[in-house]
Amino acid sequence: MKLRNLLALAGHAPQVASAFRGMIDQTTASDRQHLNWVGDAILRYNRCSKDGGYSVAFSLIHGWQNGYVETTGYLVPTMLDLAETLGRPDLRENALAQGLWLLEHQRPDGSFPDINRSVSSAFDTGQVLMGLQRLFVETGEPRYADAARRACDWLAGLSEADGSWLRAGESPGRSPTYYSRCAAAMMDFGKLVGEPRYVAAGEAFLAWAADQQLPSGLFRHSELVVGRPYLLHTIIYVLEGFLHAHEVTGDRRWLDVALSGAEPLKQANLNREIVLVSYYDADLKPASREKCITGLCQWAGLALRLHELTGDEGYLTCASNTLFYLKSKQIKADPVIGGALPGSVPFWGDYLKLSFPNWNLKFFADALLRWTRMGLDTSLQQEWFVMSCHGQNAAKVGWTEVEDHLSAFDEFTLEQIEPLIAGLGGSPTVLDLGCGAGRCLDWFAGRHPDWELVGVDPIDPQRPDRAIQVGTANRIPLADASVEVVYACIALQHVGDIDGALAEIGRVLKPGGLLVVFDRDPVSLRGLLKPWHELKGRWIYSWDAPFRERWYTAGRWRRLMRKAGYRVQKVKGYTGNGGGGWRGRLPINRFLLIAARKAA
């Protein structure tokens, strides 16, 4: 890196520190708070722009940049939606002011310029068209409809005989398939004002673009840079165009194209990548480990729209996990970049390196606003994320095969728990919380056939021979005061709200009931090395995940138990098997056993 760039980074040291914290942040707020942060950030992008509009980005090298005509255009509808949802007239006033700024940049031929204000851009014109249409609908002012007509006339004039657009100023001789967003915007405006020419031109482009789809679901000519892998941002742009066209016309063929592209992404998201990566090859194989934040924001919104249309719960899971990730990455407190999102994670990644662009916020807010309108439950997002991580990890390691037997240390663990339960006498009802495939239940059943054994786990092991239900530590599907014993082996480390989990366990325990926790001790070599394993992708959670395991010391467990109203009876540490020879004598894996009783 050049010396002047290093000096520029030093000059923005507080923002660099905020960017580092944001990458590994595990905190989220209410959706309303996140939306307010977006609104405040976009206002700042306007105030700090060098020439009006919404600044392209804040760069850790160059600082604030010029206003961006394209993204100002499609940020206007988002600001108007935020104003209505949040009851903030300042956001509405700002959006209307940006409408006037946009009119100043329309060229005599009806087009709008690219990011450098050097050539007429088809894509940028199509994005501004969305803002012009919304401003016309919002205000009824003819000037916005007139500007939108001129933009559509220019776009329609680009149409070739096969429907493609080869004469756009930003890509002469090439017709990117992500122009589908522009085509759909033309169709939308054409429907609004009763102009069939615009609808026909848009449909012609979409028909051409649909023919460019590959077997993987991706589209030829959708790379942001020719010769590079496919970028999630422009992958989703293409699908957004087809879905918008379906929403405008009701034509099923456009929805089918969108679904044929979205379904492979959904499968990758559910079965391979908890959070989609930045780049893919033509077969939809990952070509990067980085995260394109803009593409993720778009994916969350697209998945929610497809869930609404199809009822497919897979899309809802994708949207929830992606939004949970994104909320953790929003900068929480910084006077310059507070509320912003980086271009990439890590923030020095390939897409918009060292920058915080404005358009991330548009798609992030759109997805959160849709989630809010749908009345979905945000409180479940952490648990859904953990369950997805467990499910994908289980598939990778062959969970049902690995989990059907006990290691020597597993048996040792159960032998420590067994006398605590047996000491209660009688035939207790025992809950294994986080039971996995039920191997511990099998062990106890073989030794104590008189005990009533039940299990709860986020993943259904599909064992009709065992009473195992799907649930989590914060939502146990059992009645109040229904069990005498709850034990949790290497399970509570996956809980985000540990106070809530201990309260929920107390709900299902009978008065005087026993809680036994066996979990990892952070004071161990494994605890010291855990961040390294996360960074290298060798852990169930990645280094940038919005949730990672919480390992508590013995002292912390005592405080947590007392706070929850339990009486601690025993706290003891154990060293797990670190391997043969000298490794077996090292504290590579350390565990804690905590036994506590609920008040009688």
Side-chain angles (χ1 to χ4, degrees):
M1 184 176 288
K2 296 180 180 179
L3 178 60
R4 66 172 178 269
N5 289 344
L6 291 173
L7 292 174
L9 283 172
H12 296 132
Q15 285 66 58
V16 174
S18 292
F20 269 110
R21 286 193 298 271
M23 289 196 305
I24 59 173
D25 197 359
Q26 296 182 63
T27 60
T28 61
S30 68
D31 286 354
R32 188 175 185 86
Q33 179 62 73
H34 282 285
L35 289 170
N36 270 301
W37 284 334
V38 168
D40 292 339
I42 295 174
L43 291 177
R44 192 183 311 115
Y45 276 72
N46 182 215
R47 289 196 306 271
C48 297
S49 170
K50 294 179 179 179
D51 62 352
Y54 296 125
S55 174
V56 171
F58 176 83
S59 165
L60 294 171
I61 299 293
H62 306 292
W64 290 106
Q65 300 176 33
N66 290 337
Y68 194 178
V69 176
E70 175 207 324
T71 59
T72 297
Y74 65 35
L75 272 163
V76 165
T78 300
M79 287 290 271
L80 291 171
D81 290 338
L82 283 170
E84 181 179 356
T85 297
L86 300 174
R88 289 188 55 176
D90 60 326
L91 302 182
R92 176 182 171 81
E93 180 181 349
N94 180 265
L96 296 180
Q98 295 313 296
L100 299 177
W101 185 82
L102 288 170
L103 293 179
E104 295 173 2
H105 288 82
Q106 189 168 29
R107 294 183 162 190
D109 61 3
S111 67
F112 285 86
D114 69 343
I115 191 170
N116 298 314
R117 318 272 176 89
S118 58
V119 298
S120 293
S121 167
F123 191 77
D124 295 37
T125 300
Q127 308 318 292
V128 174
L129 174 59
M130 299 178 188
L132 295 174
Q133 177 173 332
R134 179 62 181 273
L135 287 164
F136 173 59
V137 171
E138 197 79 17
T139 67
E141 295 183 18
R143 57 183 167 180
Y144 293 118
D146 293 342
R149 284 182 181 276
R150 294 170 57 215
C152 285
D153 288 338
W154 183 78
L155 287 171
L158 298 175
S159 188
E160 304 290 337
D162 63 356
S164 64
W165 299 353
L166 297 173
R167 288 171 285 130
E170 74 269 35
S171 59
R174 177 176 180 253
S175 180
T177 41
Y178 53 77
Y179 286 173
S180 60
R181 267 180 64 94
C182 310
M186 287 177 61
M187 295 164 68
D188 199 350
F189 184 72
K191 287 282 187 179
L192 177 68
V193 299
E195 180 50 79
R197 286 191 304 116
Y198 303 153
V199 178
E203 288 183 334
F205 181 87
L206 291 178
W208 170 84
D211 288 340
Q212 308 308 311
Q213 193 165 29
L214 298 166
S216 64
L218 300 179
F219 291 78
R220 298 180 189 87
H221 315 303
S222 64
E223 312 96 314
L224 184 62
V225 178
V226 176
R228 294 288 307 278
Y230 293 83
L231 176 66
L232 184 63
H233 175 34
T234 50
I235 291 172
I236 306 298
Y237 262 155
V238 180
L239 302 181
E240 286 174 330
F242 282 103
L243 184 55
H244 187 184
H246 167 72
E247 291 167 341
V248 168
T249 65
D251 192 329
R252 176 73 198 198
R253 60 179 165 160
W254 307 134
L255 176 60
D256 288 341
V257 175
L259 287 170
S260 65
E263 182 66 21
L265 287 170
K266 183 191 75 174
Q267 293 303 324
N269 205 175
L270 293 177
N271 301 313
R272 191 180 68 199
E273 302 150 30
I274 296 294
V275 179
L276 295 175
V277 298
S278 292
Y279 289 101
Y280 294 89
D281 67 16
D283 295 320
L284 202 64
K285 297 294 190 332
S288 165
R289 292 179 61 187
E290 299 170 359
K291 312 295 197 313
C292 171
I293 297 300
T294 304
L296 290 172
C297 294
Q298 293 171 271
W299 172 235
L302 183 80
L304 284 176
R305 290 161 70 185
L306 291 175
H307 170 66
E308 281 191 290
L309 283 169
T310 67
D312 187 330
E313 291 295 315
Y315 286 116
L316 179 58
T317 299
C318 292
S320 177
N321 289 341
T322 304
L323 280 174
F324 184 51
Y325 178 86
L326 292 167
K327 287 190 288 188
S328 76
K329 299 297 164 268
Q330 189 177 22
I331 303 300
K332 307 300 188 297
D334 186 286
V336 177
I337 57 173
L341 286 161
S344 294
V345 170
F347 64 86
W348 56 84
D350 180 76
Y351 181 69
L352 291 166
K353 187 187 301 288
L354 303 176
S355 294
F356 294 79
N358 68 40
W359 54 96
N360 281 357
L361 297 174
K362 181 263 187 318
F363 295 108
F364 179 54
D366 286 350
L368 275 184
L369 287 165
R370 184 171 294 274
W371 182 281
T372 301
R373 287 194 298 269
M374 292 170 67
L376 298 172
D377 188 355
T378 301
S379 69
L380 297 172
Q381 283 183 334
Q382 185 267 337
E383 294 184 354
W384 286 348
F385 185 85
V386 168
M387 286 190 280
S388 295
C389 289
H390 274 268
Q392 286 197 20
N393 188 64
K396 289 175 183 176
V397 303
W399 175 73
T400 53
E401 297 176 7
V402 171
E403 293 279 321
D404 63 2
H405 68 275
L406 295 170
S407 68
F409 188 74
D410 292 331
E411 292 200 28
F412 169 80
T413 300
L414 296 177
E415 288 168 357
Q416 311 312 303
I417 297 174
E418 180 185 27
L420 297 172
I421 301 174
L424 298 177
S427 301
T429 301
V430 181
L431 167 62
D432 182 345
L433 186 58
C435 66
R439 55 184 181 166
C440 297
L441 294 172
D442 293 340
W443 189 87
F444 280 123
R447 298 166 71 98
H448 299 278
D450 57 323
W451 290 4
E452 183 179 352
L453 300 169
V454 296
V456 167
D457 196 81
I459 303 173
D460 184 359
Q462 298 182 354
R463 286 195 58 182
D465 60 321
R466 284 276 170 251
I468 299 176
Q469 299 186 51
V470 175
T472 68
N474 291 100
R475 290 171 176 79
I476 301 174
L478 299 178
D480 294 356
S482 56
V483 301
E484 282 86 10
V485 179
V486 175
Y487 69 89
C489 291
I490 321 299
L492 295 187
Q493 64 180 1
H494 300 291
V495 171
D497 178 11
I498 188 64
D499 292 326
L502 292 175
E504 176 70 351
I505 292 169
R507 179 187 67 79
V508 302
L509 271 177
K510 294 180 179 180
L514 174 68
L515 167 60
V516 183
V517 175
F518 194 87
D519 229 321
R520 290 187 180 272
D521 186 345
V523 185
S524 63
L525 291 179
R526 183 73 72 189
L528 292 174
L529 293 173
K530 177 172 172 282
W532 173 252
H533 289 303
E534 291 171 341
L535 184 63
K536 300 300 289 184
R538 300 169 182 160
W539 213 258
I540 186 173
Y541 305 107
S542 66
W543 66 273
D544 60 330
F547 175 86
R548 300 185 288 283
E549 293 127 318
R550 317 288 171 81
W551 297 355
Y552 304 115
T553 63
R556 181 72 186 281
W557 273 117
R558 290 182 185 275
R559 292 190 294 274
L560 287 168
M561 292 292 188
R562 285 197 294 266
K563 180 182 177 183
Y566 295 90
R567 179 166 50 86
V568 177
Q569 291 186 317
K570 180 178 181 179
V571 177
K572 188 173 181 180
Y574 298 90
T575 299
N577 184 8
W582 61 270
R583 284 174 56 86
R585 294 187 290 274
L586 290 177
I588 292 175
N589 291 305
R590 289 281 298 165
F591 299 89
L592 290 169
L593 184 146
I594 303 96
R597 299 289 288 269
K598 177 182 174 180

